[in-house]
Amino acid sequence: MPRYASILETIGRTPLVRLARLVPPDVNVHVKVEAFNPMGSVKDRMALAVIEAAERSGALRPGQTVIEATSGNTGIGLAMVCARKGYPLVVTMAESFSLERRRLLRFLGARVVLTPASEKGSGMLAKAIELAETHGYFLCRQFENEANAEVHSRTTAREILDDMQGEPIHAWVTGFGTGGTLKGVSRVLKAADPTTRVVVAEPDNAPLLGSGEAQPQGKSHPRFRPHLMQGWSPDFISALTRQALAAGMVDEVVPVAGEDALRLARELACKEGIFVGISAGATLAAALQVARRAPAGSHVICMLPDTGERYQSTSLFEGIEDEMNAEELALSRSTPGCRFDTPAATPAPRPPATPVAQDATGQVASSDEKASSDDKAPSDIEAERRLDDYLTQAPVVMFALAWCEFCWAARKLFDRLGVEFLSVELDAPACQAHDMGVRLRPVLARRTGAPTIPQIFIGGEPLGGCGELFEAWRDGSLGERLNACGIAYDAEAEIDTERLLPAWLHPRSATA
């Protein structure tokens, strides 16, 4: 191994790894494991490139504060670069992104300014611009900065071509956020071989590219919905992404479900030994779709943007317990030495509730959930009818959002109580036909008197949201309502509802 004068010299040259257990047997799927960068993500490349380009141009003065809006990985990369080069750093970030990212940033010396989750990516960007203009900070502008794309043309794309050693690439698969990786790599791969397909993955419930709808000036994209893939698809199509599209670099857009992203991130760890985050699982989901229809012997290359370590407070780690479960305790007790015993074995965690419009047995909740062939948008009366239809299908119904941490918290309580329920996820693709998920929101607000999600009904009557559900469990009224409807549940369960809430709400993390 060579000796390096700076940690910054170790950025790039990440491995291209062939998968063995998750892929079709006759197609070669290779993953570009960007977690090997020093701060664990592909954004290390861009962070260094943007700072050095600003230094060369004089846009960044010695000692000047750097600022950027980021979901985390860009900020973490910038924190490393700024720490080494001696620039103060401020990061603006929506409060809904994982705690690990905030802590890493602050550990590296950055200041983190949180913005309301409801303001989405546009909100944290607007805050960064406002702070930069007010205080004279250097704003990186990652979503439009050509240095972002240039570094991927110069490094990432060249590494892929060098590693493939002349073998033809059938398809290169990536997500998009800033668009730097997409634009920078695709133009080099296309120049080397115009037959290489560039495939872009995006959340199936937020089809910004797949919809074909233009990005409104200064507004959120009309097809944006919050989703599980942190770092992917903000609520706008970035300038770099638009440039790649305009240049004809994108051959296909593949929608990916959040549940598939979680599943494949976990399977990559358990079956291939590769530890990555949710966006990497989502990109692999798209790559596997491409691989299944690729000619035998083809090479498909998939970007894995970051490590899984910064997702431990998210749904990716749902069901991963700190304590030994029943199976592990039984294994511990199977030999006499070095035993660790507790009064009672911890029960094995149950899987989360069945997603989008399915009941606990996995049956589709309603045939009406399928998109209608009628192009006429449904009226409020139809939304009322749809709501009533859902309420007749199960004694316990929760109107939820797949991405929402409060909905996850409510699911956890029902899961621990053993309560079967119908989860209707308003941001899922099935509810997007004629904007039904959007049209149900005001109907729910009128029925419940609250505009928030989740909204839970028991026996057709509204209970409230996550907070009301937890309070009802604590004061015993939830049990009374379940009993009145003949709904089985574990009345002896001892549950600390505070521990079911998102980690960033816990008092101990208030200064995180």
Side-chain angles (χ1 to χ4, degrees):
M1 291 288 289
R3 291 187 294 175
Y4 297 102
S6 160
I7 190 65
L8 305 183
E9 295 179 3
T10 69
I11 295 173
R13 297 178 295 279
T14 56
L16 194 65
V17 179
R18 184 178 182 274
L19 299 184
R21 299 182 61 196
L22 292 178
V23 299
D26 57 348
V27 175
N28 303 290
V29 177
H30 311 269
V31 291
K32 184 77 166 156
V33 189
E34 290 297 297
F36 275 72
N37 283 301
M39 284 294 108
S41 91
V42 68
K43 297 299 186 181
D44 291 359
R45 300 175 186 263
M46 181 265 287
L48 179 60
V50 166
I51 295 299
E52 290 189 338
E55 289 174 331
R56 290 192 297 270
S57 70
L60 176 59
R61 304 183 304 273
Q64 185 180 9
T65 296
V66 174
I67 188 169
E68 184 58 313
T70 170
S71 63
N73 284 332
T74 293
I76 292 166
L78 283 170
M80 169 188 63
V81 175
C82 290
R84 178 62 179 81
K85 288 178 171 284
Y87 298 107
L89 175 66
V90 174
V91 163
T92 60
M93 179 189 297
E95 63 181 343
S96 53
F97 292 117
S98 69
L99 288 178
E100 292 83 358
R101 298 172 186 233
R102 300 185 208 173
R103 290 170 175 160
L104 277 168
L105 284 162
R106 290 176 174 139
F107 192 86
L108 287 161
R111 288 173 286 172
V112 181
V113 176
L114 299 177
T115 59
S118 60
E119 297 299 318
K120 299 169 281 194
S122 297
M124 64 187 194
L125 179 57
K127 186 65 174 180
I129 293 172
E130 183 181 42
L131 289 170
E133 292 174 348
T134 300
H135 300 291
Y137 298 159
F138 169 72
L139 180 62
C140 295
R141 299 186 182 276
Q142 60 173 322
F143 298 99
E144 60 192 67
N145 196 324
E146 179 57 29
N148 182 357
E150 185 277 332
V151 71
H152 290 293
S153 295
R154 175 167 45 87
T155 66
T156 315
R158 295 311 318 174
E159 292 168 21
I160 291 171
L161 291 174
D162 290 346
D163 288 342
M164 291 305 295
Q165 298 180 338
E167 290 277 1
I169 300 171
H170 172 72
W172 173 70
V173 186
T174 185
F176 78 95
T178 67
T181 306
L182 169 60
K183 180 182 177 183
V185 175
S186 63
R187 62 188 173 190
V188 172
L189 296 187
K190 287 283 192 182
D193 182 356
T195 67
T196 297
R197 294 179 57 76
V198 172
V199 179
V200 178
E202 66 177 353
D204 65 351
N205 69 324
L208 275 62
L209 303 186
S211 68
E213 296 181 32
Q215 169 66 51
Q217 183 68 32
K219 297 181 179 179
S220 291
H221 194 283
R223 298 305 298 274
F224 176 80
R225 301 290 185 275
H227 53 81
L228 289 172
M229 295 72 142
Q230 297 187 22
W232 257 26
S233 302
D235 62 311
F236 55 88
I237 302 173
S238 71
L240 295 176
T241 301
R242 293 198 302 270
Q243 292 160 15
L245 292 168
M249 295 295 177
V250 177
D251 297 293
E252 183 181 359
V253 177
V254 174
V256 177
E259 289 300 314
D260 288 339
L262 296 175
R263 175 177 57 81
L264 281 167
R266 293 164 182 156
E267 289 187 2
L268 264 173
C270 294
K271 295 183 179 181
E272 300 280 357
I274 299 174
F275 186 41
V276 295
I278 300 173
S279 55
T283 314
L284 180 60
L288 292 180
Q289 289 188 44
V290 173
R292 291 185 192 105
R293 44 187 161 84
S298 297
H299 294 277
V300 175
I301 295 177
C302 168
M303 296 296 295
L304 301 184
D306 68 357
T307 174
E309 288 185 347
R310 56 201 55 164
Y311 293 87
Q312 292 189 48
S313 63
T314 74
S315 53
L316 181 60
F317 277 74
E318 174 66 18
I320 306 299
E321 303 293 337
D322 297 328
E323 303 298 330
M324 284 191 287
N325 60 27
E327 181 182 2
E328 291 163 340
L329 280 167
L331 184 60
S332 171
R333 293 166 178 162
S334 68
T335 58
C338 299
R339 281 173 47 165
F340 183 85
D341 287 318
T342 58
T346 304
R350 300 177 184 178
T354 311
V356 187
Q358 293 183 351
D359 63 23
T361 65
Q363 298 299 312
V364 176
S366 171
S367 60
D368 287 341
E369 198 69 315
K370 299 177 181 178
S372 169
S373 59
D374 184 359
D375 290 333
K376 183 179 179 181
S379 65
D380 285 346
I381 295 175
E382 185 173 351
E384 292 272 3
R385 182 194 62 76
R386 183 71 67 89
L387 178 63
D388 289 333
D389 181 48
Y390 284 132
L391 294 178
T392 64
Q393 294 175 37
V396 180
V397 180
M398 179 169 72
F399 294 90
L401 297 169
W403 63 274
C404 175
E405 291 177 290
F406 295 99
C407 298
W408 275 88
R411 290 188 187 97
K412 290 176 189 176
L413 178 59
F414 283 137
D415 175 55
R416 283 155 176 75
L417 292 175
V419 173
E420 294 187 356
F421 66 100
L422 172 67
S423 179
V424 181
E425 295 179 3
L426 303 177
D427 56 342
C431 278
Q432 289 192 25
H434 306 308
D435 280 336
M436 181 54 74
V438 174
R439 290 174 177 272
L440 281 168
R441 295 289 291 269
V443 176
L444 278 167
R446 288 195 295 270
R447 291 281 186 95
T448 64
T452 53
I453 298 294
Q455 286 298 324
I456 298 156
F457 290 72
I458 298 179
E461 297 298 323
L463 170 69
C466 181
E468 289 80 8
L469 175 67
F470 285 4
E471 180 60 31
W473 169 247
R474 289 192 292 265
D475 66 20
S477 60
L478 176 60
E480 293 173 0
R481 294 183 65 166
L482 293 173
N483 286 329
C485 294
I487 301 168
Y489 72 100
D490 183 359
E492 303 301 320
E494 296 184 3
I495 301 171
D496 179 0
T497 55
E498 294 299 316
R499 307 314 304 168
L500 304 182
L501 288 167
W504 52 271
L505 285 177
H506 294 166
R508 64 182 176 86
S509 66
T511 58

